Amino acid sequence: YTKIIFYDNKLSEKTVWNEMDTLIAKARSLEKYQNVKFVTVDDSSDLTVAEQAKSFNEADAVIMVHGEQMTNAIFAVDGTTFVEVGCKVSSLIGNPKFMELMDSTYQAVERCTEGADGNSVCVVCDSDEDDSNFTMTAVAFENLIDGVVRSLQK
């Protein structure tokens, strides 16, 4: 099976991915994801450093709200797919040299642009602020998971 770890920050005072649990529950019910194990972490600060390291080390993919928890990428195995999600993502983890060193892939998913169609992998932000809470349509979420699974099959 493919193990995907999700971090939504909902227990912190930081940017939160609203309705992530609902999106995951719907995805779990789809037959095409029967070999995908969806694991959620509400707030990485609840975990010890060892637990954080273990969760990243066991993941095939990590999809999370933009933030400092992505520094745990150093514990991931080669070939891990990373997706950082937020209204505006500026990340050091997305450095191509770092991803090449880890033989990994990185994708930033940001605010939907005006005129984006319903299939676009992007987020709908609660406000114009770059650190606003956000959600994602079910179609966008499914397209994101499809892309992550494809990236792991290469």
Side-chain angles (χ1 to χ4, degrees), residues 97-126:
K97 289 184 180 182
F98 182 65
M99 286 293 108
E100 183 180 342
L101 179 67
M102 293 182 60
D103 191 28
S104 296
T105 58
Y106 173 84
Q107 176 184 0
V109 175
E110 297 182 317
R111 176 188 319 270
C112 296
T113 58
E114 194 171 316
D117 68 16
N119 294 321
S120 298
V121 177
C122 58
V123 299
V124 178
C125 302
D126 290 354

Side-chain angles (χ1 to χ4, degrees), residues 15-70:
T15 301
V16 174
W17 183 344
N18 294 319
E19 302 174 21
M20 185 188 80
D21 291 336
T22 303
L23 294 168
I24 291 171
K26 182 176 180 191
R28 280 184 177 129
S29 71
L30 299 175
E31 187 174 330
K32 68 179 176 178
Y33 300 133
Q34 68 183 10
N35 293 323
V36 176
K37 182 175 182 181
F38 296 90
V39 178
T40 60
V41 177
D42 295 327
D43 186 2
S44 61
S45 66
D46 287 346
L47 304 175
T48 66
V49 172
E51 290 168 331
Q52 291 178 47
K54 183 177 182 199
S55 71
F56 269 73
N57 186 264
E58 293 177 344
D60 296 301
V62 178
I63 301 175
M64 65 175 47
V65 173
H66 169 66
E68 68 271 0
Q69 66 275 7
M70 192 57 98

Side-chain angles (χ1 to χ4, degrees), residues 87-98:
C87 296
K88 176 72 176 156
V89 175
S90 57
S91 176
L92 296 175
I93 190 76
N95 178 312
K97 289 184 180 182
F98 182 65

